[in-house]
Amino acid sequence: MKKYHILSLFSVLALLVPCTNLVNVSAKTTTYNFFPTDNGPIDSSYSGTVTTIGDKPFLTLYAFNNNQFSLIRNRALAPKTAWFYDQTVSRNGEIYYRVATNEWIRFDEIEGFSGHHNRKNFEKKTITLRVGPVLPAPVFDGKFNDTGKTLAVGSEWVALEKPVYFGDDAYYQIGKDEFVAGERVINLY
């Protein structure tokens, strides 16, 4: 019986040893930023509501002129109140939400917010592509695997204007989950 326990212990250790090797893994990631780029342009792609914090008697407002913020001294927001915002901007590491015409509240004076994409900023323009004069163009799926389909030489296709990139290669979307390599097409208009 003791031999069995000792043998089992060595078997478990033998199984665990290969699991202790470190493996380097790298992956290309895409970051979608809800917050505006610091010192970037005013971002109107989100709108929603902000709720002011409740532990101050009033919350300060700022005016945005000449690409910088200044304190508004004759107006303030009440604590624990909700306000609609339609633009965000970041200056010197501080994020501001526009709650009225040229009245902004800083991120550190809100305790909650909700937001959604404004649809108007996501309109997708299309272009017409022609498959190059020499070889047909293979069609790839959304994971950039060859689907086995090809587009005929000289044929024209409507595609989304902005390509997506896989590695260094550009691909145009021509259908739902269908992409063609930019190197195989000519952008007509």
Side-chain angles (χ1 to χ4, degrees), residues 60-168:
T60 53
L61 287 170
Y62 298 87
F64 189 57
N65 296 311
N66 299 322
N67 211 22
Q68 52 184 279
F69 283 96
S70 60
L71 181 66
I72 297 175
R73 298 190 184 278
N74 62 350
R75 291 182 48 82
L77 299 180
K80 288 275 190 196
T81 55
W83 297 87
F84 175 78
Y85 73 91
D86 64 347
Q87 295 179 352
T88 57
V89 70
S90 178
R91 287 296 174 269
N92 302 317
E94 299 287 345
I95 299 169
Y96 297 83
Y97 293 85
R98 188 174 86 156
V99 294
T101 303
N102 204 23
E103 292 182 349
W104 303 71
I105 186 166
R106 222 172 42 208
F107 180 75
D108 62 350
E109 293 197 307
I110 63 174
E111 66 181 14
F113 66 92
S114 65
H116 62 278
H117 284 288
N118 295 324
R119 300 279 180 221
K120 66 182 181 185
N121 293 324
F122 293 96
E123 294 174 0
K124 296 181 177 178
K125 296 180 181 179
T126 59
I127 56 173
T128 302
L129 303 173
R130 178 179 291 149
V131 177
V134 179
L135 297 170
V139 176
F140 299 90
D141 66 15
K143 295 181 180 176
F144 301 101
N145 298 314
D146 192 336
T147 63
K149 299 177 189 176
T150 59
L151 306 179
V153 171
S155 62
E156 292 183 1
W157 297 83
V158 174
L160 294 180
E161 179 182 41
K162 295 192 183 223
V164 294
Y165 291 90
F166 184 67
D168 292 331

Side-chain angles (χ1 to χ4, degrees), residues 161-183:
E161 179 182 41
K162 295 192 183 223
V164 294
Y165 291 90
F166 184 67
D168 292 331
D169 300 322
Y171 292 82
Y172 289 93
Q173 186 172 2
I174 57 167
K176 183 178 180 182
D177 202 36
E178 292 182 322
F179 297 83
V180 62
E183 64 187 22

